[in-house]
Amino acid sequence: MHNQQFLIRDANVSDISTIMELLKLKAKFDGCPDFLKATPQKLEETLFSEKPLAFVLLAELDKNPIGFASYHQIYSTFLAQPGIWLDDLYIKAEYRRLGVGEALIKRLCQITQKIGGGRIDWTVAVNNTLAIQFYEKMGAQIIQRVRLCRLDREAISQRTSA
C-alpha cells in the first residue's frame, strides 16, 4: 500500500456526503458521536456559499476518501497577521502512517504562506499521545500554558437575553 499515491484536493459541493461520512468517523473516533450536529444542508450553506466560513481538504487514494482536514482563516493581533485554524484532521485508521497527515499539514502550510499567514493553530486531546507525537514530529509546539475556553449556544443565549 505504501507504493500507492494519494491525492490531496480542495473539497467541493459534490463532496458533501463524503465530508459527512468522514465527520461521523471523526466524531466516533473522538468518542463524541452525539456532538455532531452538522447536516448536509448546513455544510453546503457554510462551506460552499459565496463567502465560505471554512474549507475542507480531502485526501483520496484511488478516488476513495481516506481522510480530511477542515480549516478557516484566523487573525493574530500579536503578529498583525492572518493564520489558519485547523479545526479537524482525520485519517481513516487503515491509512495512517502512510504520510497522509503529513501531506495535509504540508498543504495547510502552503495555504498559510499564500495568505501571508504567521501560524497555524489547533487543539489536540491531552490523551491522544499518537497525535501529539505526530504533531511534534511536524514541528508543532504543544502549548500547555493555555486552555481552550468555550461559550456554547446556551451560554451565549443566557448572556444576550434580558
Side-chain angles (χ1 to χ4, degrees), residues 13-113:
V13 72
S14 67
D15 295 311
I16 288 176
S17 61
T18 297
I19 295 167
M20 279 300 307
E21 173 199 340
L22 290 166
L23 282 171
K24 287 175 186 173
L25 290 171
K26 170 81 165 77
K28 186 177 177 186
F29 174 81
D30 288 348
C32 57
D34 295 344
F35 289 9
L36 183 62
K37 304 297 182 200
T39 65
Q41 182 182 354
K42 280 183 172 180
L43 290 174
E44 185 170 349
E45 290 169 4
T46 56
L47 297 176
F48 303 108
S49 62
E50 196 173 314
K51 290 187 177 178
L53 299 177
F55 304 91
V56 174
L57 295 173
L58 285 179
E60 295 178 333
L61 182 64
D62 299 326
K63 301 194 181 200
N64 294 313
I66 60 172
F68 79 105
S70 61
Y71 67 96
H72 59 89
Q73 194 168 316
I74 57 173
Y75 182 79
S76 167
T77 50
F78 278 26
L79 298 179
Q81 279 182 287
I84 294 289
W85 179 267
L86 170 58
D87 197 48
D88 286 311
L89 177 72
Y90 177 78
I91 293 109
K92 290 180 179 178
E94 61 270 31
Y95 298 101
R96 294 181 189 150
R97 303 194 183 282
L98 300 178
V100 180
E102 190 171 346
L104 286 164
I105 295 286
K106 180 179 179 181
R107 178 66 64 86
L108 289 169
C109 289
Q110 292 167 341
I111 292 166
T112 304
Q113 284 184 323

Side-chain angles (χ1 to χ4, degrees), residues 114-133:
K114 189 175 179 182
I115 65 167
R119 67 186 193 208
I120 302 171
D121 290 327
W122 67 96
T123 60
V124 61
V126 294
N127 62 348
N128 193 342
T129 308
L130 290 175
I132 291 168
Q133 290 170 350

